[in-house]
Amino acid sequence: MLSRRELANAIRALSMDAVEKAKSGHPGAPMGMADIMEVLWNDYLSHNPANPHWPNRDRFVLSNGHGSMLLYSILHLSGYELPMEEIKKFRQLHSMTPGHPEYGYTPGIETTTGPLGQGLANAIGMAIAERTLAAQFNREGFDIVNHYTYVAAGDGCMMEGISHEACSLAGTLKLGKLICLYDSNQISIDGDVEGWFTDDTPARMEAYGWHVIRDVDGHDADQVKTALAEARKVTDRPSFICCHTIIGWGAPNKQGKESCHGAPLGEAEVRLAREQLGWTYEPFVIPKEYYEGWDAREQGLQREQAWQEKFYAYSLKFPELAQEFRRRMDKTLPENWQAETNAFIRATAEKAESIASRKASQNTLEAFGPLLPELIGGSADLAGSNLTLWSGSKTNSGATPDGNYIYYGVREFGMCAINNGIALHGGFIPYGATFLIFSEYARNALRMAALMKQRNIFVFTHDSIGLGEDGPTHQAVEQAATLRLMPNMSVWRPCDTVESAVAWQAAIERLDGPTSLLFSRQNLAHIQRNPEQIDNIRRGAYILIDAGDDPELVIIATGSEVGLAHKVATELNGQGRRIQLVSMPSSDAFDTQDSTYRDKVLPPDCRKRIAVEAGVSDYWRKYIGLDGLVLGVDRFGESAPGPVVYDYFGLNEAGLKKMVNQLL
């Protein structure tokens, strides 16, 4: 029977071989963390390699994702559908083993990691989802949701600011089934971290309310096993296990040095490492007894079967709950969703309110929320400004784990990354809110949501210079454009209550990516529409004022500027002009329409076009061409009441008429 160290050495061998063959990668972390992971995966982690999507599996996140070969090696050895040929193609085009773990590429990868600290935040989101789902569905004798979230994090993760945001909240929420294994090797790319990272990290985590286990030898399997057993017994706090390791353990000349962090060991050092580890096999050769020692398929199958039996009994006793659990985990919407939401949109059109779109958003939440028990949201300390609370909101806390509203505090980046973890876990549709300008703080979490194609809804209010007195520090001018430039990020900037409701509907129905909803602080005029126009809102852009087959000029407007454009176009058309007005709440939705529809909305022969948006102008060139003009804001804003700022920048009727006359 193989020893623990021998099993761990299989990780080390595969990792250094794959990195060496690729001529790039990070062998240090896999070699240093191999002993820790052998204990976790073989003694504690509950998973089924044959079904990576089993709902009650433990989640494991490698936050220090540069050590990806650690995870690929384990997945291969333990029986996941990750053949050796894919290990050999590490970091190659379209392989299942990209340079950093990517969700959707490889069975068993729970989240995309690499941007340090975000995996830790994702894991916190998963732990929130597990506890909330358990509180909502478990019944006496039927703990159908009962699993742990484990996350490995390195020194770099703990340096990143997001780790402070997310870990502080995790302690406050008392996430007792979250366990972090801190790989403290004290080495980063620039060398020994004592020159730039001397925090008392264990004390910091204790201050956050975590259960901390100090001074574990990460190369002593017995110490690691004891620490994990202790952590699992603590149910009122997340646990933080401080594992001291040597980066690149086993490479005699490079272990403990930054030289093994992000580069191949080199053929000579690999040969010496094989000798030191006692690994006598050729590259990529794993003897049968090693596979047998790692194989988790039989035990995983037994665990899932036991859960399936329990869930079957649960479904007999609580059939409605079981059906609802399946629906939510399958990401299907309630049967009455389409009828109810469409009815609300029609009723909103008839109500004809002229209110801020942030208030329209709250009204929509009030209507959609009761239909969606899976909706879980929050705000980064701006609930009263973002208007994200609705009458069915219940605080999610250590005392009330079944709640659907999280008070995130001033943690925009942490909020969005945690919500990515909630989305990845399943069973919920997360949303998180802040001012649009502070999307900048959260930018990389937004990008990760888009990269992973996760349904995460970002609610951004105070979307332009219209917020007024808070001035340029808070006035978003470039944010709408940059969000639209992000691949797979859907962006909606609605102009009134009706478009706001449609935007929410589209975001919730979207299963292959995140959505940013941009709402105004100031009141917006209601726009009258016919039924066809209401239906066409979902197409991203539609004709509000039709100038016939031969318009002289097309005005494209979004959000708070649609009302302005509507007034001007109506007046000028009354004077005999032929101006077509297009509302474009979502350019990405419009771009997916067929060419016939796009050409009807924006006639190709009409080169005279004006785009109107209280933001930077360059984005609109794709729709107006070089001949068109943009009424926008190409500099930072000013501090004054919103209407005054609009007038200062010429975003008013006079400014738009002047631009129309310039083209006509």
Side-chain angles (χ1 to χ4, degrees), residues 140-163:
E140 186 175 353
F142 294 97
D143 52 343
I144 62 163
V145 182
N146 180 18
H147 54 264
Y148 285 86
T149 302
Y150 298 96
V151 55
D155 295 309
C157 292
M158 302 314 297
M159 285 186 242
E160 284 285 1
I162 192 173
S163 73

Side-chain angles (χ1 to χ4, degrees), residues 31 90 224 312 559:
M31 297 178 75
F90 178 54
V224 174
Y312 177 73

Side-chain angles (χ1 to χ4, degrees), residues 334-415:
E335 290 183 4
N336 63 341
W337 167 257
Q338 205 67 55
E340 293 285 346
T341 56
N342 286 342
F344 173 75
I345 290 166
R346 299 289 181 184
T348 300
E350 292 175 6
K351 197 171 183 180
E353 286 185 298
S354 294
I355 57 177
S357 56
R358 61 171 173 159
K359 179 59 180 175
S361 168
Q362 186 181 47
N363 292 346
T364 304
L365 276 173
E366 195 68 52
F368 292 1
L371 304 173
L372 297 170
E374 61 264 49
L375 198 63
I376 185 168
S379 172
D381 200 50
L382 288 169
S385 292
N386 298 147
L387 301 184
T388 43
L389 284 165
W390 57 284
S391 61
S393 294
K394 179 181 178 181
T395 302
N396 188 300
S397 69
T400 54
D402 61 333
N404 62 359
Y405 195 86
I406 301 169
Y407 287 90
Y408 277 103
V410 188
R411 301 181 178 100
E412 296 89 355
F413 191 6
M415 171 182 69

Side-chain angles (χ1 to χ4, degrees), residues 270-291:
V270 168
R271 185 170 58 253
L272 293 173
R274 278 181 143 72
E275 293 175 5
Q276 181 157 310
L277 296 172
W279 190 265
T280 59
Y281 313 104
E282 293 298 310
F284 300 106
V285 172
I286 304 293
K288 179 181 178 182
E289 60 267 29
Y290 285 86
Y291 283 116

Side-chain angles (χ1 to χ4, degrees), residues 405-472:
Y405 195 86
I406 301 169
Y407 287 90
Y408 277 103
V410 188
R411 301 181 178 100
E412 296 89 355
F413 191 6
M415 171 182 69
C416 295
I418 287 170
N419 279 357
N420 282 342
I422 292 174
L424 287 158
H425 179 280
F428 294 99
I429 301 173
Y431 68 92
T434 185
F435 291 172
L436 177 56
I437 195 70
F438 301 130
S439 64
E440 298 294 341
Y441 280 144
R443 180 68 55 159
N444 203 254
L446 273 61
R447 185 176 187 271
M448 296 298 283
L451 182 62
M452 293 189 286
K453 301 180 180 179
Q454 289 304 296
R455 179 171 53 178
N456 192 350
I457 301 173
F458 305 108
V459 180
F460 296 126
T461 69
H462 297 61
D463 70 339
S464 70
I465 59 172
L467 73 87
E469 292 87 345
D470 280 332

Side-chain angles (χ1 to χ4, degrees), residues 40-151:
L40 174 64
W41 282 73
N42 284 329
D43 286 22
Y44 291 107
L45 199 76
S46 179
H47 63 113
N48 181 9
N51 182 11
H53 302 293
W54 169 36
N56 202 45
R57 69 192 181 278
D58 289 341
R59 271 64 169 177
F60 173 74
V61 173
L62 184 69
S63 188
N64 45 341
H66 55 269
S68 57
M69 267 312 305
L70 173 72
L71 190 45
Y72 298 146
S73 298
I74 294 170
L75 294 172
H76 169 76
L77 292 166
S78 59
Y80 284 79
E81 288 295 325
L82 185 60
M84 184 64 82
E85 286 306 308
E86 294 295 331
I87 300 292
K88 292 179 181 179
K89 293 192 290 184
F90 178 54
R91 287 182 160 234
Q92 305 310 303
L93 184 65
H94 297 154
S95 77
M96 295 170 67
T97 51
H100 290 79
E102 293 187 34
Y103 179 82
Y105 272 67
T106 316
I109 300 296
E110 300 285 1
T111 181
T112 300
T113 56
L116 294 177
Q118 283 200 69
L120 179 54
N122 294 166
I124 290 167
M126 293 174 189
I128 291 172
E130 187 276 339
R131 190 178 70 174
T132 305
L133 208 62
Q136 293 177 354
F137 284 97
N138 287 357
R139 295 296 182 267
E140 186 175 353
F142 294 97
D143 52 343
I144 62 163
V145 182
N146 180 18
H147 54 264
Y148 285 86
T149 302
Y150 298 96
V151 55

